[in-house]
Each structure stands twice: as structure tokens, then as C-alpha cells.
Amino acid sequence: MLESLGLDISPRAASLWLGLLIGLAFGALAEVSRFCLRRAVAGPVAERKGAGAMWLAALATAIAGTQLAQHAGLVDLSGHRFLAADVPALAIVLGGLMFGIGMVLARGCAARLTVLAATGNLRAASVVVLIAIAALITLKGLLAPLATALAGITLPLPALAALPGAAIAIPLALAALAIAARPGALTLAYGVAIGALVPLAWLGTGWLLLDDFDPVPVEALSFIGPVADTLFWSVAATAIAPGFGVGLVLGTLGGGALSALIGRRTAWQSFHSPRETGRYALGGALMGVGGVLAGGCTIGAGLTGVAALSSAALLALVAIIAGARAADRLLSASSAGSAGSAATQAPQPAR
């Protein structure tokens, strides 16, 4: 495709630019819409319905677009890890639970924190770096043997795509649920726009940049592997070349910053106490390790993986949501207990 257009650029270099463009769009859309799964499952109660509707609209669009691209023969995901016959179920469940707990502790998933970092939020920026470090430790460092051992415990799970009519029924059902929540039209539009970036990325890496002599990985939106790759590339740029994932992270930072500047939502923010710092640090570590074990984050597994109708990705998404809900309930109970204790110990007014 590149040769037919007369472009003298390697597929890997082109994938970097593709990632930048997709990231710019994602960063801008996610910043202005506050797109985040945590808001839907563990955010303020008043915001959950709207955030959930946006996320369902994004997932429905991602599934429909991805399945249409596959049906048209433009993208072949049959060999992708998401659709492997043997699923590392134990690693996925443990990793998903860890990631869900971590995103509640850090008040955002890897993607949301990357966007917030672009607005001047130093808490988010710190956690993103910790996520990258923890992911690298799990992929290539001290925890790599444990991750490999857990990944070796597999179960045969058929892909959702094997279900008759799943490619049509599932996105229609998700779209109906999103509409039933009665969000504003703009909320649904943001969800559709973000979801459409997933099949666009599949098409870009799997069709536009297809080259048998210089292949690039077929991938779409994800943030655990890419933030780890971005950190590794930043310290070893003379030894390795950046690809789609690095471009996606850099583009997300640029798009988020541009959107926040235009909307005058930039503001320097930092930690308020050592206790808060520790909580965010623990959340980042859990997300980095958990994201690797689960095979992705709320975007990589939840949005992109489920768009491929992967049973493994769906299992990861369910585990992430379960971990987030459990952590939110524990934190809420702890806060209520602390408030009650403080009220009991407070001096009573004289009668």
C-alpha cells in the first residue's frame, strides 16, 4: 500500500505515525468526554449511568467495526493471541482482579491516567511511570518467570466469534443497553467516535501497513504494553525503533494536552499526603503487573480484545470489573467506618 502511494517509508516507521494519529484522536476525545471504565463501575454514583452508556456505545462500535473489517477480508485476526484456543485463565483472572483493584486505588485506568497526565496532573504522570516499570518487571524482569508459569496454566475456551450470529447480536445488544440508559446524544457520539478508533487501528496495522517482507504487529488500542515500550524506548532510543504503541502513547499525551488547553482545563495537581502517595503507587504497581497477566487493560483487553470477540479478553474484562467493584466497596466501607469512629470520639456539646 505504501509503495502504491509512492511513499518511501518503512512499515514500522509508518506504524509510529499511525499510532500518533490514532493517539491524538483518542487523547482529545477521552479528555473532553472523561471516557473511563472506572467512572462507570466505581465512580461517583451520579456519573455511573452516563459513563457506562458511553463505554457500551464504544464497545458496540468497536465490535461492529472490527467484525465488519474481518468479514470483508481486510483484516485477519485468526492468528492473534486474543483468539488462541488455549486461554491462560488463571493468569487472566488474577491479573484482571489486580488491575481492577489498582485502577480504583489510583482513581483511573492506564489510559485515563495517561490522558490526565497530559493536563498537568502529576499524580497521574507518576502512576503511569510506575505502571510502565511494573509492566517491564513482569514482562522482562524479576516477575517474568512467575508470569510465564501462570500463563502456562491454560483452559480451552472457544472464541465468542464461534457463536452463531455473535458478530451481529452482541454489538446490537450493547447498543440497546447504551440507548436504554438514556444518555445525551453527545455522550453516545463520544462513545461511538472512541470505539471507531479500534477498527481503524486494526485496518491500519493489518491492512494498510501489511508487508510480507517487513511485517509489523497487527494491533489496535492498548496501554500496558505501549507505556512499557515507551519507557524502554525513551532510555534506549539508539538501540530500538519506536512502533505503533509508542506512537499511540505519545499521540494520546498530545491529544489530551491539546484538548485540555483549548478547553482551559489544564492545572498542575500533585499528591496531598504520604498516605495518598502510597495508595496511588500501590495502584500503579497492581495495574502494571495485573495488566501483563491479564493480557491487557480496560482498553487493550476490554475494548480492543472484546472487539475481536475473544473469550480471553471478555474474561479479563469481567475480572477487572469485579476487582474494581470489590475495591470500591471496601474503600467505601473503610471510609464510612472511619467517619463513624471520628464522630463517636468527637467531644459532645454541653447540654
mmCIF file of all heavy atoms in Angstrom, residues 128-166:
data_model
loop_
_atom_site.group_PDB
_atom_site.id
_atom_site.type_symbol
_atom_site.label_atom_id
_atom_site.label_comp_id
_atom_site.label_asym_id
_atom_site.label_seq_id
_atom_site.Cartn_x
_atom_site.Cartn_y
_atom_site.Cartn_z
ATOM 1 N N VAL A 128 1.540 6.508 35.842
ATOM 2 C CA VAL A 128 1.809 5.943 34.519
ATOM 3 C C VAL A 128 3.241 5.413 34.445
ATOM 4 O O VAL A 128 3.495 4.329 33.906
ATOM 5 C CB VAL A 128 1.562 6.989 33.412
ATOM 6 C CG1 VAL A 128 2.073 6.481 32.059
ATOM 7 C CG2 VAL A 128 0.073 7.317 33.309
ATOM 8 N N VAL A 129 4.189 6.163 35.000
ATOM 9 C CA VAL A 129 5.583 5.693 35.024
ATOM 10 C C VAL A 129 5.693 4.414 35.855
ATOM 11 O O VAL A 129 6.387 3.458 35.470
ATOM 12 C CB VAL A 129 6.513 6.789 35.584
ATOM 13 C CG1 VAL A 129 7.931 6.251 35.771
ATOM 14 C CG2 VAL A 129 6.540 7.990 34.646
ATOM 15 N N LEU A 130 5.006 4.363 36.998
ATOM 16 C CA LEU A 130 5.026 3.157 37.825
ATOM 17 C C LEU A 130 4.389 1.975 37.106
ATOM 18 O O LEU A 130 4.866 0.835 37.226
ATOM 19 C CB LEU A 130 4.299 3.422 39.142
ATOM 20 C CG LEU A 130 5.049 4.277 40.169
ATOM 21 C CD1 LEU A 130 4.140 4.615 41.337
ATOM 22 C CD2 LEU A 130 6.288 3.536 40.666
ATOM 23 N N ILE A 131 3.323 2.223 36.369
ATOM 24 C CA ILE A 131 2.697 1.155 35.577
ATOM 25 C C ILE A 131 3.703 0.594 34.580
ATOM 26 O O ILE A 131 3.836 -0.628 34.424
ATOM 27 C CB ILE A 131 1.443 1.676 34.843
ATOM 28 C CG1 ILE A 131 0.316 1.979 35.832
ATOM 29 C CG2 ILE A 131 0.960 0.663 33.806
ATOM 30 C CD1 ILE A 131 -0.883 2.677 35.201
ATOM 31 N N ALA A 132 4.410 1.487 33.897
ATOM 32 C CA ALA A 132 5.392 1.057 32.895
ATOM 33 C C ALA A 132 6.504 0.241 33.535
ATOM 34 O O ALA A 132 6.918 -0.799 33.004
ATOM 35 C CB ALA A 132 5.967 2.280 32.180
ATOM 36 N N ILE A 133 7.003 0.689 34.688
ATOM 37 C CA ILE A 133 8.077 -0.033 35.372
ATOM 38 C C ILE A 133 7.597 -1.410 35.824
ATOM 39 O O ILE A 133 8.279 -2.431 35.622
ATOM 40 C CB ILE A 133 8.588 0.780 36.577
ATOM 41 C CG1 ILE A 133 9.278 2.061 36.099
ATOM 42 C CG2 ILE A 133 9.548 -0.051 37.422
ATOM 43 C CD1 ILE A 133 9.644 3.016 37.218
ATOM 44 N N ALA A 134 6.415 -1.470 36.446
ATOM 45 C CA ALA A 134 5.874 -2.750 36.915
ATOM 46 C C ALA A 134 5.613 -3.697 35.745
ATOM 47 O O ALA A 134 5.836 -4.914 35.857
ATOM 48 C CB ALA A 134 4.587 -2.517 37.702
ATOM 49 N N ALA A 135 5.145 -3.163 34.622
ATOM 50 C CA ALA A 135 4.900 -3.995 33.442
ATOM 51 C C ALA A 135 6.208 -4.561 32.897
ATOM 52 O O ALA A 135 6.288 -5.743 32.530
ATOM 53 C CB ALA A 135 4.181 -3.187 32.372
ATOM 54 N N LEU A 136 7.258 -3.737 32.846
ATOM 55 C CA LEU A 136 8.560 -4.208 32.376
ATOM 56 C C LEU A 136 9.128 -5.283 33.300
ATOM 57 O O LEU A 136 9.723 -6.269 32.844
ATOM 58 C CB LEU A 136 9.539 -3.040 32.270
ATOM 59 C CG LEU A 136 9.387 -2.126 31.053
ATOM 60 C CD1 LEU A 136 10.285 -0.901 31.184
ATOM 61 C CD2 LEU A 136 9.692 -2.882 29.764
ATOM 62 N N ILE A 137 8.965 -5.096 34.602
ATOM 63 C CA ILE A 137 9.435 -6.101 35.566
ATOM 64 C C ILE A 137 8.714 -7.430 35.343
ATOM 65 O O ILE A 137 9.310 -8.504 35.459
ATOM 66 C CB ILE A 137 9.211 -5.608 37.008
ATOM 67 C CG1 ILE A 137 10.155 -4.434 37.320
ATOM 68 C CG2 ILE A 137 9.421 -6.728 38.019
ATOM 69 C CD1 ILE A 137 9.885 -3.758 38.646
ATOM 70 N N THR A 138 7.435 -7.357 34.998
ATOM 71 C CA THR A 138 6.647 -8.574 34.785
ATOM 72 C C THR A 138 6.925 -9.205 33.424
ATOM 73 O O THR A 138 6.910 -10.428 33.272
ATOM 74 C CB THR A 138 5.146 -8.261 34.906
ATOM 75 O OG1 THR A 138 4.914 -7.510 36.109
ATOM 76 C CG2 THR A 138 4.323 -9.533 34.953
ATOM 77 N N LEU A 139 7.207 -8.373 32.430
ATOM 78 C CA LEU A 139 7.471 -8.882 31.084
ATOM 79 C C LEU A 139 8.890 -9.408 30.925
ATOM 80 O O LEU A 139 9.108 -10.468 30.315
ATOM 81 C CB LEU A 139 7.238 -7.766 30.052
ATOM 82 C CG LEU A 139 5.794 -7.393 29.740
ATOM 83 C CD1 LEU A 139 5.749 -6.077 28.968
ATOM 84 C CD2 LEU A 139 5.130 -8.511 28.924
ATOM 85 N N LYS A 140 9.860 -8.673 31.479
ATOM 86 C CA LYS A 140 11.260 -8.993 31.197
ATOM 87 C C LYS A 140 12.155 -9.078 32.425
ATOM 88 O O LYS A 140 13.339 -9.367 32.301
ATOM 89 C CB LYS A 140 11.842 -7.932 30.250
ATOM 90 C CG LYS A 140 11.068 -7.768 28.954
ATOM 91 C CD LYS A 140 11.638 -6.641 28.100
ATOM 92 C CE LYS A 140 10.828 -6.472 26.822
ATOM 93 N NZ LYS A 140 11.365 -5.381 25.953
ATOM 94 N N GLY A 141 11.603 -8.819 33.607
ATOM 95 C CA GLY A 141 12.429 -8.741 34.809
ATOM 96 C C GLY A 141 12.170 -9.837 35.815
ATOM 97 O O GLY A 141 11.924 -10.999 35.467
ATOM 98 N N LEU A 142 12.205 -9.454 37.076
ATOM 99 C CA LEU A 142 12.137 -10.414 38.173
ATOM 100 C C LEU A 142 10.863 -11.251 38.178
ATOM 101 O O LEU A 142 10.885 -12.414 38.589
ATOM 102 C CB LEU A 142 12.255 -9.662 39.510
ATOM 103 C CG LEU A 142 13.614 -9.013 39.811
ATOM 104 C CD1 LEU A 142 13.525 -8.186 41.083
ATOM 105 C CD2 LEU A 142 14.693 -10.085 39.930
ATOM 106 N N LEU A 143 9.760 -10.666 37.755
ATOM 107 C CA LEU A 143 8.485 -11.390 37.799
ATOM 108 C C LEU A 143 8.180 -12.162 36.517
ATOM 109 O O LEU A 143 7.141 -12.820 36.427
ATOM 110 C CB LEU A 143 7.339 -10.414 38.088
ATOM 111 C CG LEU A 143 7.358 -9.732 39.451
ATOM 112 C CD1 LEU A 143 6.172 -8.789 39.595
ATOM 113 C CD2 LEU A 143 7.349 -10.763 40.577
ATOM 114 N N ALA A 144 9.073 -12.086 35.531
ATOM 115 C CA ALA A 144 8.829 -12.769 34.254
ATOM 116 C C ALA A 144 8.665 -14.278 34.416
ATOM 117 O O ALA A 144 7.762 -14.879 33.803
ATOM 118 C CB ALA A 144 9.941 -12.446 33.265
ATOM 119 N N PRO A 145 9.501 -14.960 35.230
ATOM 120 C CA PRO A 145 9.301 -16.410 35.402
ATOM 121 C C PRO A 145 7.930 -16.754 35.994
ATOM 122 O O PRO A 145 7.299 -17.732 35.586
ATOM 123 C CB PRO A 145 10.437 -16.813 36.350
ATOM 124 C CG PRO A 145 11.492 -15.778 36.142
ATOM 125 C CD PRO A 145 10.727 -14.507 35.907
ATOM 126 N N LEU A 146 7.476 -15.941 36.955
ATOM 127 C CA LEU A 146 6.154 -16.185 37.548
ATOM 128 C C LEU A 146 5.059 -15.977 36.514
ATOM 129 O O LEU A 146 4.117 -16.776 36.422
ATOM 130 C CB LEU A 146 5.938 -15.245 38.735
ATOM 131 C CG LEU A 146 4.555 -15.299 39.390
ATOM 132 C CD1 LEU A 146 4.275 -16.693 39.934
ATOM 133 C CD2 LEU A 146 4.441 -14.252 40.491
ATOM 134 N N ALA A 147 5.174 -14.905 35.728
ATOM 135 C CA ALA A 147 4.173 -14.636 34.693
ATOM 136 C C ALA A 147 4.138 -15.768 33.666
ATOM 137 O O ALA A 147 3.061 -16.191 33.216
ATOM 138 C CB ALA A 147 4.485 -13.305 34.007
ATOM 139 N N THR A 148 5.311 -16.279 33.294
ATOM 140 C CA THR A 148 5.382 -17.382 32.333
ATOM 141 C C THR A 148 4.748 -18.642 32.905
ATOM 142 O O THR A 148 4.027 -19.371 32.205
ATOM 143 C CB THR A 148 6.843 -17.656 31.954
ATOM 144 O OG1 THR A 148 7.414 -16.472 31.392
ATOM 145 C CG2 THR A 148 6.940 -18.785 30.941
ATOM 146 N N ALA A 149 5.002 -18.905 34.189
ATOM 147 C CA ALA A 149 4.435 -20.091 34.824
ATOM 148 C C ALA A 149 2.908 -20.009 34.882
ATOM 149 O O ALA A 149 2.206 -20.990 34.589
ATOM 150 C CB ALA A 149 5.014 -20.260 36.224
ATOM 151 N N LEU A 150 2.403 -18.841 35.251
ATOM 152 C CA LEU A 150 0.947 -18.675 35.307
ATOM 153 C C LEU A 150 0.321 -18.777 33.919
ATOM 154 O O LEU A 150 -0.771 -19.341 33.762
ATOM 155 C CB LEU A 150 0.606 -17.320 35.937
ATOM 156 C CG LEU A 150 0.875 -17.183 37.436
ATOM 157 C CD1 LEU A 150 0.652 -15.748 37.886
ATOM 158 C CD2 LEU A 150 -0.017 -18.132 38.233
ATOM 159 N N ALA A 151 1.010 -18.232 32.913
ATOM 160 C CA ALA A 151 0.484 -18.294 31.549
ATOM 161 C C ALA A 151 0.456 -19.711 31.009
ATOM 162 O O ALA A 151 -0.283 -20.004 30.056
ATOM 163 C CB ALA A 151 1.331 -17.407 30.633
ATOM 164 N N GLY A 152 1.239 -20.602 31.616
ATOM 165 C CA GLY A 152 1.257 -21.986 31.170
ATOM 166 C C GLY A 152 0.075 -22.801 31.650
ATOM 167 O O GLY A 152 -0.141 -23.925 31.188
ATOM 168 N N ILE A 153 -0.697 -22.252 32.578
ATOM 169 C CA ILE A 153 -1.896 -22.944 33.076
ATOM 170 C C ILE A 153 -3.081 -22.494 32.235
ATOM 171 O O ILE A 153 -3.609 -21.389 32.397
ATOM 172 C CB ILE A 153 -2.130 -22.627 34.564
ATOM 173 C CG1 ILE A 153 -0.890 -22.976 35.388
ATOM 174 C CG2 ILE A 153 -3.360 -23.375 35.080
ATOM 175 C CD1 ILE A 153 -0.974 -22.532 36.830
ATOM 176 N N THR A 154 -3.488 -23.330 31.297
ATOM 177 C CA THR A 154 -4.493 -22.914 30.311
ATOM 178 C C THR A 154 -5.751 -23.775 30.360
ATOM 179 O O THR A 154 -5.755 -24.888 30.891
ATOM 180 C CB THR A 154 -3.900 -22.984 28.889
ATOM 181 O OG1 THR A 154 -3.527 -24.344 28.598
ATOM 182 C CG2 THR A 154 -2.671 -22.089 28.770
ATOM 183 N N LEU A 155 -6.798 -23.204 29.794
ATOM 184 C CA LEU A 155 -8.062 -23.903 29.609
ATOM 185 C C LEU A 155 -8.526 -23.684 28.173
ATOM 186 O O LEU A 155 -8.371 -22.584 27.633
ATOM 187 C CB LEU A 155 -9.133 -23.372 30.566
ATOM 188 C CG LEU A 155 -9.001 -23.692 32.056
ATOM 189 C CD1 LEU A 155 -10.086 -22.960 32.822
ATOM 190 C CD2 LEU A 155 -9.095 -25.194 32.286
ATOM 191 N N PRO A 156 -9.102 -24.698 27.545
ATOM 192 C CA PRO A 156 -9.633 -24.498 26.188
ATOM 193 C C PRO A 156 -10.966 -23.762 26.233
ATOM 194 O O PRO A 156 -11.945 -24.272 26.778
ATOM 195 C CB PRO A 156 -9.790 -25.924 25.652
ATOM 196 C CG PRO A 156 -9.990 -26.760 26.888
ATOM 197 C CD PRO A 156 -9.213 -26.101 27.987
ATOM 198 N N LEU A 157 -10.980 -22.557 25.712
ATOM 199 C CA LEU A 157 -12.218 -21.770 25.675
ATOM 200 C C LEU A 157 -12.494 -21.347 24.234
ATOM 201 O O LEU A 157 -11.634 -20.723 23.604
ATOM 202 C CB LEU A 157 -12.104 -20.533 26.562
ATOM 203 C CG LEU A 157 -12.077 -20.737 28.076
ATOM 204 C CD1 LEU A 157 -11.930 -19.393 28.780
ATOM 205 C CD2 LEU A 157 -13.347 -21.430 28.546
ATOM 206 N N PRO A 158 -13.662 -21.660 23.699
ATOM 207 C CA PRO A 158 -13.972 -21.238 22.329
ATOM 208 C C PRO A 158 -14.174 -19.733 22.257
ATOM 209 O O PRO A 158 -14.667 -19.112 23.214
ATOM 210 C CB PRO A 158 -15.267 -21.986 22.019
ATOM 211 C CG PRO A 158 -15.905 -22.220 23.360
ATOM 212 C CD PRO A 158 -14.769 -22.423 24.319
ATOM 213 N N ALA A 159 -13.770 -19.145 21.158
ATOM 214 C CA ALA A 159 -13.944 -17.704 20.972
ATOM 215 C C ALA A 159 -15.425 -17.372 20.841
ATOM 216 O O ALA A 159 -16.236 -18.194 20.386
ATOM 217 C CB ALA A 159 -13.183 -17.240 19.740
ATOM 218 N N LEU A 160 -15.779 -16.167 21.256
ATOM 219 C CA LEU A 160 -17.169 -15.727 21.118
ATOM 220 C C LEU A 160 -17.589 -15.696 19.659
ATOM 221 O O LEU A 160 -18.778 -15.835 19.345
ATOM 222 C CB LEU A 160 -17.331 -14.333 21.733
ATOM 223 C CG LEU A 160 -17.099 -14.218 23.239
ATOM 224 C CD1 LEU A 160 -17.146 -12.757 23.659
ATOM 225 C CD2 LEU A 160 -18.124 -15.026 24.006
ATOM 226 N N ALA A 161 -16.600 -15.503 18.775
ATOM 227 C CA ALA A 161 -16.903 -15.452 17.342
ATOM 228 C C ALA A 161 -17.474 -16.779 16.846
ATOM 229 O O ALA A 161 -18.123 -16.827 15.783
ATOM 230 C CB ALA A 161 -15.636 -15.100 16.560
ATOM 231 N N ALA A 162 -17.240 -17.879 17.593
ATOM 232 C CA ALA A 162 -17.746 -19.181 17.184
ATOM 233 C C ALA A 162 -19.255 -19.301 17.391
ATOM 234 O O ALA A 162 -19.894 -20.196 16.829
ATOM 235 C CB ALA A 162 -17.022 -20.290 17.950
ATOM 236 N N LEU A 163 -19.817 -18.416 18.192
ATOM 237 C CA LEU A 163 -21.260 -18.449 18.432
ATOM 238 C C LEU A 163 -22.000 -17.933 17.202
ATOM 239 O O LEU A 163 -21.660 -16.866 16.673
ATOM 240 C CB LEU A 163 -21.617 -17.597 19.652
ATOM 241 C CG LEU A 163 -21.000 -18.019 20.982
ATOM 242 C CD1 LEU A 163 -21.337 -16.996 22.071
ATOM 243 C CD2 LEU A 163 -21.484 -19.404 21.380
ATOM 244 N N PRO A 164 -22.995 -18.643 16.718
ATOM 245 C CA PRO A 164 -23.732 -18.197 15.524
ATOM 246 C C PRO A 164 -24.367 -16.815 15.725
ATOM 247 O O PRO A 164 -25.080 -16.589 16.705
ATOM 248 C CB PRO A 164 -24.811 -19.277 15.350
ATOM 249 C CG PRO A 164 -24.284 -20.472 16.073
ATOM 250 C CD PRO A 164 -23.495 -19.931 17.224
ATOM 251 N N GLY A 165 -24.085 -15.923 14.812
ATOM 252 C CA GLY A 165 -24.686 -14.594 14.849
ATOM 253 C C GLY A 165 -24.114 -13.660 15.889
ATOM 254 O O GLY A 165 -24.634 -12.548 16.076
ATOM 255 N N ALA A 166 -23.022 -14.063 16.571
ATOM 256 C CA ALA A 166 -22.465 -13.230 17.641
ATOM 257 C C ALA A 166 -21.970 -11.884 17.134
ATOM 258 O O ALA A 166 -22.101 -10.866 17.821
ATOM 259 C CB ALA A 166 -21.310 -13.977 18.332
#
